[in-house]
Amino acid sequence: MKRCIKVKLLLPIVAIFVPTLLFIPKASAGSFGAEIFCTMRDGGNDHESSWQSAYSYIKKQKGGLFKTSPKQAAGQIIETVVRERDKFSYCVEYLDQLHPDRKLQMENNRKEKRKKQEERLREKENINYSEESFDRYSY
């Protein structure tokens, strides 16, 4: 009886993981994502729209159990451009925007945290002030 229950539990797990491991798409998603990004940038589009188009394509084509993060997608695009230099020679100048300045990002994050803390303090002060009731006739 216990063996039957173990087999019943094991079978769905195997049925889920084996197909995803066997049929994972190859690196062509990153290659075509790089082509999308570079073609759009070369055509005069801004970084954000080009990046969103390439990233959404890579996410959609990747498949598998786990989703592709933006850092992984940017890495795939950079890897493809570097690997196929002669094909994407016009795109090298746009790669720096895929990984922006980390120090600048850290400073911006710190500023945002400070602003949020200040807003929370102001809200607490406003709540404490509004909770107090004043009797206008008490002297």
Side-chain angles (χ1 to χ4, degrees), residues 60-116:
K60 184 176 73 172
Q61 295 299 318
K62 174 73 171 160
L65 192 59
F66 301 104
K67 296 193 187 262
T68 304
S69 72
K71 287 182 182 180
Q72 289 173 330
Q76 288 177 357
I77 291 172
I78 290 173
E79 184 180 317
T80 302
V81 169
V82 170
R83 187 181 302 124
E84 301 175 17
R85 243 176 277 146
D86 26 331
K87 183 178 179 184
F88 295 111
S89 61
Y90 60 92
C91 191
V92 174
E93 63 184 292
Y94 305 122
L95 294 181
D96 65 334
Q97 296 173 350
L98 288 174
H99 290 290
D101 187 13
R102 300 292 179 216
K103 289 181 183 178
L104 181 63
Q105 282 183 343
M106 288 174 52
E107 289 176 16
N108 289 339
N109 289 340
R110 288 180 188 152
K111 288 178 183 177
E112 288 178 22
K113 286 181 183 179
R114 285 184 198 139
K115 287 180 183 177
K116 288 180 182 179

Side-chain angles (χ1 to χ4, degrees), residues 28-39 50 53-55 57-58 77:
S28 64
S31 175
F32 197 70
E35 196 169 329
I36 290 171
F37 177 76
C38 293
T39 304
S50 304
S53 299
Y55 178 55
Y57 177 80
I58 291 172
I77 291 172

Side-chain angles (χ1 to χ4, degrees), residues 117-132:
Q117 287 176 349
E118 290 174 359
E119 288 176 10
R120 288 179 191 158
L121 288 174
R122 283 189 215 129
E123 288 176 5
K124 286 181 181 179
E125 289 175 359
N126 289 339
I127 290 172
N128 290 338
Y129 185 72
S130 64
E131 288 178 354
E132 294 178 11

